[in-house]
Amino acid sequence: MRRAVAAPKINSQGAPVTVATSAAWQRGNNLRQGEQLAAIDLGSNSFHMVVARQDQGEVRLLEGLSEKVQLGSGLDRDNRLDEETQQRALECLARFAQRITGVRRGNVRVVGTNTLRMARNAKAFIARAEQVLGHDIEVVAGREEARLIYLGVAHSLAANGGSRLVVDIGGGSSELIIGEGFEAVETESLHMGCVSFRQRFFADGRITESGMARAVTAARQEVLSIEANYRRMGWTQAVGASGTIKAIAQVCEESGLTDQGITLEALEKIARKAVKAGSVDALSLKGLREDRKPIFASGLAILLGIFRQLGITHMTVSAGALREGLLYDLLGRFTHEDVRERSVQAVMDRYRVEPAQARRVHDTVTALHRSVAEAWSLNDEALLDTLRWAALLHEVGLTVSHSQFHKHGAYMLANADLPGFSRQEQAAVALLVRGHRRKLPLSALSEWDDEEREPLLRLCLLLRLACRLHHARSDEPLPPLSLAADGKVVTLSFPQGWLAEHPLTQADLEQEQEFFQSSDYRLVVT
């Protein structure tokens, strides 16, 4: 079926048009009052799930589940997850899946962290896990994990009017964030966690003075790289957010070492008691649960190293963490507060992307998408998001060099810290930017799963057409076009005589026909 493509309206003055003012970015709030949301955190030590409902713009927690899967312990020397660990994880996710049966697909966010960032066979495991859960799994970069942790903490604490240092010690990494209000100002993810440190310094279950000292020193060395910047920024309150830190705080309080929270003096005393016990099995500390014993010494050493290196004397503990941050971030996507949109705008500003050209391509490609979305099965909102972001950022590589700028842009977007984006989302946007001109990136496309490959190729073809149509970078509006898709045949039609009056556009499209053919598609221009 042939559908008309309305000529997009372009700001004729070439003035900056921000992402936030584009009608295409604005969506209706399709989250119904009282509807359930869920967030799942696939941590290196534990898997956590929280279920909540939206109530007057707030998140009301209904239920929380947690299981110690110890995913990080399943990494072998080649950083591959062993089958036994994968089975343990899948069994846990099957139980989680039972609880969220009936929760809408777009209302669930599942995030993998350090172990899935490291595992060489993560993609295969994720495919199995998605089959069990019935929901997509995102792998987030360390700094994005830190941002989400801060968001969860900020929503669980009363406003203090100052800056906070938030610390989260996970199984494979530790996140340190400085923020104010609900905004993370500085985020960092360090390669130290209670599972990885247990394997390095307490592998045989023995807790020795030398092992503890080496673990504390290793933690201090990790923190050293960020110390100067963090001390310069400063904070008025230190907050701990992870299960490991909560366990340490409970020991501090039940042992009578603190009235509330954690102090440096209490940490020093507990470390001495742990060394005196001599082993994990012999640990006998008030408030320490049996299931926390295996990783307690390693978590304690990391926190002690952070306290010493950053000069922390007291830390309070937050009930909120990554999973709560996921819920609030998800809620924001329903209420026009999607941080990914701010990230795209920030990249455009930072790398001086020409806003008028970005908007021309953006508006045209969304119009093209509407014409073929049904015929090409591209109605998924996530696919449209990917296409729009790529259109706005397709020229970001020009800040490096005009030569091969599509490759420079793809590399930048694939490797940048983009708040709100998962690694998969960044990779998809980077792929479209890479493929918007010159040869189609068929080898890169071949690395994607079958169900993702064809939609991405089709998005890439649409973006290429939009870029060709605006090759002249002119404010002159495009004529009324029509676009039709029938399998692998794409027909682009212009008003009679228009192409004859625009021979350069005609030449561009003739060249594009050759590129389409390389991907086994056919472009017909009439």
Side-chain angles (χ1 to χ4, degrees), residues 167-202:
V167 177
D168 185 296
I169 299 173
S173 64
S174 294
E175 282 64 47
L176 285 83
I177 313 102
I178 291 179
E180 295 184 16
F182 295 113
E183 293 294 325
V185 178
E186 191 74 14
T187 57
E188 195 59 70
S189 180
L190 302 178
H191 296 292
M192 57 181 183
C194 53
V195 173
S196 56
F197 264 44
R198 181 191 64 188
Q199 294 168 335
R200 286 178 62 186
F201 303 108
F202 310 100

Side-chain angles (χ1 to χ4, degrees), residues 113-132:
T113 57
N114 185 72
T115 297
L116 292 184
R117 290 195 289 266
M118 294 176 59
R120 296 177 62 185
N121 58 340
K123 191 173 181 180
F125 168 73
I126 287 171
R128 298 171 70 185
E130 288 177 339
Q131 195 73 20
V132 170

Side-chain angles (χ1 to χ4, degrees), residues 68-287:
K68 280 191 170 43
V69 174
Q70 295 190 317
L71 196 68
S73 297
L75 289 175
D76 62 21
R77 291 182 179 180
D78 296 322
N79 274 349
R80 300 181 67 84
L81 281 171
D82 63 46
E83 182 59 28
E84 181 182 351
T85 302
Q86 290 190 51
Q87 283 298 329
R88 191 164 63 242
L90 294 172
E91 289 167 9
C92 170
L93 293 178
R95 290 186 283 273
F96 283 6
Q98 276 189 298
R99 175 59 184 86
I100 57 175
T101 299
V103 180
R104 280 201 301 142
R105 187 178 181 86
N107 288 17
V108 178
R109 284 195 71 191
V110 189
V111 163
T113 57
N114 185 72
T115 297
L116 292 184
R117 290 195 289 266
M118 294 176 59
R120 296 177 62 185
N121 58 340
K123 191 173 181 180
F125 168 73
I126 287 171
R128 298 171 70 185
E130 288 177 339
Q131 195 73 20
V132 170
L133 272 175
H135 295 276
D136 293 337
I137 295 175
E138 310 169 46
V139 178
V140 293
R143 284 183 170 172
E144 173 61 7
E145 181 182 353
R147 184 190 70 83
L148 291 166
I149 288 166
Y150 182 82
L151 188 61
V153 170
H155 277 280
S156 70
L157 297 176
N160 66 350
S163 59
R164 295 188 181 101
L165 169 68
V166 173
V167 177
D168 185 296
I169 299 173
S173 64
S174 294
E175 282 64 47
L176 285 83
I177 313 102
I178 291 179
E180 295 184 16
F182 295 113
E183 293 294 325
V185 178
E186 191 74 14
T187 57
E188 195 59 70
S189 180
L190 302 178
H191 296 292
M192 57 181 183
C194 53
V195 173
S196 56
F197 264 44
R198 181 191 64 188
Q199 294 168 335
R200 286 178 62 186
F201 303 108
F202 310 100
D204 55 2
R206 295 176 62 233
I207 305 173
T208 64
E209 187 172 358
S210 63
M212 180 66 73
R214 287 187 293 111
V216 171
T217 298
R220 295 187 67 169
Q221 286 176 311
E222 285 289 330
V223 176
L224 183 61
S225 62
I226 67 170
E227 178 187 4
N229 188 38
Y230 273 50
R231 283 183 180 267
R232 178 185 57 78
M233 297 181 70
W235 57 87
T236 58
Q237 180 187 24
V239 184
S242 63
T244 294
I245 294 179
K246 290 177 186 176
I248 294 171
Q250 191 166 350
V251 171
C252 288
E253 293 165 9
E254 294 197 21
S255 298
L257 297 175
T258 65
D259 293 328
Q260 189 177 38
I262 303 167
T263 65
L264 177 59
E265 183 181 2
L267 286 177
E268 302 277 10
K269 289 181 179 179
I270 295 171
R272 288 195 292 271
K273 287 184 179 181
V275 169
K276 187 175 181 180
S279 71
V280 168
D281 293 335
L283 271 178
S284 180
L285 298 168
K286 287 184 180 179

